């Protein structure tokens, strides 16, 4: 071994030893890092390490004293990285991010997360709550995660020793990748989402489908004929606004007699594009009366109209729940589908979809984020799909809810039957990537303030 190599190894060992040797005053500090990610693909446009710090020691630790490091391998060319905090229980304004470089180890870069005094302290047994963090290349180039020391494709929090926690010069938790730290770049942060930014919120506090405020607020209760689905009319009188489970809601009730149908839909004007969309929806698995078995579709979606076959400006982002199956599926299935375009005759679909084969009867929180070339779908706080590339929308869309029957999918039994879908609220935050927890906080804020409707989203 050459003298140069021996010196380098000795230097790295000294650096690591300096972190591992704990001063007596901090001997009782035991702060561990739990990790999960909401971007688990082998390659991604942004890395999303979500962290939680847990104090399992016997002393209170100020968060401002701690640094957390996530280690990775830089891409070629190295154009630099930018850090952002999407959401943090302690407040994104109290979270900082810097980037440093390493030599001689299993990683050549790291993200170092720190805190301001406003983040508070960790008492024994306490945790920091979610730190929903992300970073990306300054040119938004793709990032390979499989060669990153700290990456793990886990969607649930658990301790992860390849993320390290430091207090001063002391390593409290984790195993560094080796090597020695050479530089630390300047902090690059983003502000937390602006709660006063352009947004739509509607609590569906209306008297009936003929309430004049519905149209005044940009909504249309669909009437007349047309697809999708079986031969049908769209019936405004079957869109009602009862109190359901203690909350004023919109009810879509669609019915059929075995051959023709009365379907329901409510949609908003086209002016929504990038941002976060959310709704709380109650799905049903059985009809409220009549025979069961029809292939029915219960939805929350956005859409740009198709002006011609294979229109490149068409776009659609769908949550579609089929309680009785359909489209070749024999039973309950939820689809998340993102569309590039389609042709009606002969049928040609250009889309990408994900699915969950299970029942979703009852209330569920649905969220999708449209940002940075990706469409990410969440059900009850859990990410279930990540679509993008050519399927990313290009034009403003409308927000829609409808309940309809698949052509050729009616049960053979005669007699009237009806299915219902309820919507507690709808929410949209323009140009903001909000976590499901942030959405819940925003909605709770509107309701605690007695706000039933707001719309500050500019027309497209």
């Amino acid at each position: 071994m050459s003298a140069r190599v021996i010196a380098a190894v000795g230097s790295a060992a000294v650096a690591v030893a300096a972190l591992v040797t704990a001063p007596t005053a901090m001997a009782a500090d035991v702060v561990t890092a739990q990790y999960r990610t909401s971007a688990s693909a082998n390659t991604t446009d942004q890395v999303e390490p979500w962290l939680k710090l847990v104090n399992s020691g016997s002393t209170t630790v100020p968060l401002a004293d701690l640094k957390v490091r996530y280690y990775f391998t830089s891409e070629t060319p190295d154009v630099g990285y930018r850090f952002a905090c999407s959401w943090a229980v302690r407040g994104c304004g109290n979270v900082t991010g810097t980037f440093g470089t390493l030599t001689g180890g299993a990683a050549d870069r790291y993200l170092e997360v720190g805190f301001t005094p406003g983040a508070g302290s960790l008492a024994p047994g306490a945790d920091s709550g979610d730190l929903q963090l992300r970073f990306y290349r300054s040119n938004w180039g793709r990032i390979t995660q499989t060669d990153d020391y700290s990456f793990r494709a886990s969607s649930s929090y658990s301790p992860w020793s390849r993320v390290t926690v430091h207090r001063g010069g002391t390593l409290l938790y984790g195993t560094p990748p080796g090597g020695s730290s050479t530089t630390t770049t300047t902090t690059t942060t983003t502000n937390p989402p602006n709660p006063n930014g352009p947004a739509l919120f509607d609590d569906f506090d209306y008297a009936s489908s003929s309430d004049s405020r519905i149209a005044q607020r940009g909504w249309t209760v669909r009437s007349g004929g047309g697809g999708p689905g079986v031969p049908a009319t769209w019936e405004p009188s079957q869109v009602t606004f009862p109190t359901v489970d203690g909350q004023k809601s919109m009810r879509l009730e669609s019915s059929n007699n075995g051959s023709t149908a009365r379907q329901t839909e409510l949609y908003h004007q086209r002016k929504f594009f990038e941002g976060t969309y959310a709704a709380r929806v109650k799905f049903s698995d059985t009809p409220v009366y009549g025979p069961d078995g029809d292939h029915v579709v219960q939805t929350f979606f956005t859409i740009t109209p198709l002006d011609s076959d294979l229109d490149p400006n068409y776009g659609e982002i769908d949550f579609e729940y089929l309680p009785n199956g359909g489209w070749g599926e024999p039973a309950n299935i939820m689809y998340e589908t993102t569309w590039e375009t389609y042709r009606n005759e002969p049928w040609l679909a250009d889309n990408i979809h994900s699915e969950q084969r299970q029942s979703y009867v009852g209330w569920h929180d649905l969220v999708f984020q449209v940002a940075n070339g990706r469409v990410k779908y969440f059900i009850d706080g859990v990410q279930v799909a990540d679509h993008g590339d050519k399927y990313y929308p290009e034009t403003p869309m409308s927000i829609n809810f409808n309940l309809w029957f698949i052509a050729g999918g009616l049960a053979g039994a005669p007699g009237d039957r009806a299915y219902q879908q309820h919507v507690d609220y709808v929410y949209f935050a323009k140009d903001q990537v909000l976590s499901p927890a942030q959405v819940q906080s925003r909605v709770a804020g509107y309701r605690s303030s007695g706000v039933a409707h707001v719309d500050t989203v500019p027309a497209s």
Side-chain angles (χ1 to χ4, degrees), residues 303-312 314-315 340-344:
I303 192 169
T304 299
L306 185 81
D307 287 338
S308 60
D309 283 347
L310 303 179
D311 177 6
Y314 175 79
E340 168 62 10
T341 190
Y342 73 94
R343 182 183 63 211
N344 199 40

Side-chain angles (χ1 to χ4, degrees), residues 220-231:
T220 297
V221 182
R222 187 175 176 182
S223 60
V230 301

Side-chain angles (χ1 to χ4, degrees), residues 37-344:
T37 183
S38 57
S40 59
N42 291 343
T43 63
T44 184
D45 56 359
Q46 59 181 356
V47 178
E48 300 185 28
W50 291 15
L51 304 172
K52 185 185 293 185
L53 302 182
V54 180
N55 184 355
S56 54
S58 59
T59 61
T60 296
V61 180
L63 280 168
D65 287 357
L66 301 179
K67 301 291 185 183
V68 187
R69 287 185 177 182
Y70 179 96
Y71 301 92
F72 62 100
T73 300
S74 61
E75 308 298 320
T76 302
D78 189 346
V79 296
Y81 294 83
R82 299 189 183 280
F83 165 79
C85 173
S86 296
W87 185 67
V89 171
R90 304 297 179 111
C92 277
N94 294 315
V95 180
T96 64
T98 62
F99 293 97
T101 60
L102 295 166
T103 57
D108 62 13
R109 298 295 292 263
Y110 60 85
L111 166 67
E112 184 172 272
V113 179
F115 304 90
T116 70
S121 299
L122 284 181
D127 66 64
S128 64
D130 275 349
L131 299 167
Q132 297 183 8
L133 311 177
R134 55 191 172 94
F135 65 88
Y136 52 93
R137 300 175 72 189
S138 61
N139 66 352
W140 280 106
R142 299 292 288 176
I143 296 173
T144 299
Q145 301 194 92
T146 49
D147 61 357
D148 290 344
Y149 178 82
S150 295
F151 172 70
R152 182 180 63 176
S154 173
S155 61
S156 300
Y157 276 120
S158 62
W160 181 227
S161 63
R162 290 195 173 193
V163 173
T164 59
V165 182
H166 311 263
R167 185 176 187 184
T170 302
L171 176 65
L172 300 183
Y173 175 79
T175 305
S180 57
S181 178
T182 57
T183 62
T184 300
T185 65
T186 56
T187 303
T188 306
T189 64
T190 57
N191 294 325
N194 176 12
N196 298 315
L200 167 74
F201 172 70
D202 203 321
D203 220 8
F204 296 119
D205 187 12
Y206 299 109
S208 69
S209 61
S210 59
D211 191 320
S212 61
R213 295 174 298 165
I214 294 176
Q216 292 167 4
R217 293 173 175 176
W219 294 105
T220 297
V221 182
R222 187 175 176 182
S223 60
V230 301
T233 58
W234 297 86
E235 181 53 62
S237 67
Q238 292 180 190
V239 178
T240 57
F241 300 91
T243 297
V244 179
D245 299 329
Q247 182 62 44
K248 190 76 168 178
S249 303
M250 175 180 67
R251 172 184 290 164
L252 302 179
E253 180 173 306
S254 295
S255 56
N256 75 80
N257 60 9
S259 58
T260 61
R262 298 169 300 282
Q263 301 182 154
T264 46
E265 180 171 359
L266 180 80
Y267 62 92
H268 206 282
Q269 67 191 91
R270 280 185 60 204
K271 62 174 184 176
F272 305 97
F273 186 37
E274 293 183 308
T276 300
Y277 300 76
R280 183 168 183 254
V281 179
K282 186 176 186 180
F283 297 111
S284 60
D285 278 357
T286 57
V288 290
Y289 61 83
D292 196 0
D294 294 324
H295 292 168
V296 61
V297 186
Q298 304 170 31
T299 73
F300 166 41
F301 67 103
T302 62
I303 192 169
T304 299
L306 185 81
D307 287 338
S308 60
D309 283 347
L310 303 179
D311 177 6
N313 290 324
Y314 175 79
E316 186 173 345
I317 300 171
D318 298 335
F319 276 109
E320 294 177 309
Y321 179 55
L322 283 59
N324 293 325
W327 298 326
E329 291 291 332
N332 317 82
I333 188 167
M334 175 75 82
Y335 285 106
E336 300 84 35
T337 309
T338 311
W339 290 75
E340 168 62 10
T341 190
Y342 73 94
R343 182 183 63 211
N344 199 40

Side-chain angles (χ1 to χ4, degrees), residues 445-460:
Y446 286 127
R447 287 179 164 169
S448 65
S449 301
V451 176
H453 175 267
V454 66
D455 186 358
T456 57
V457 180
S460 60

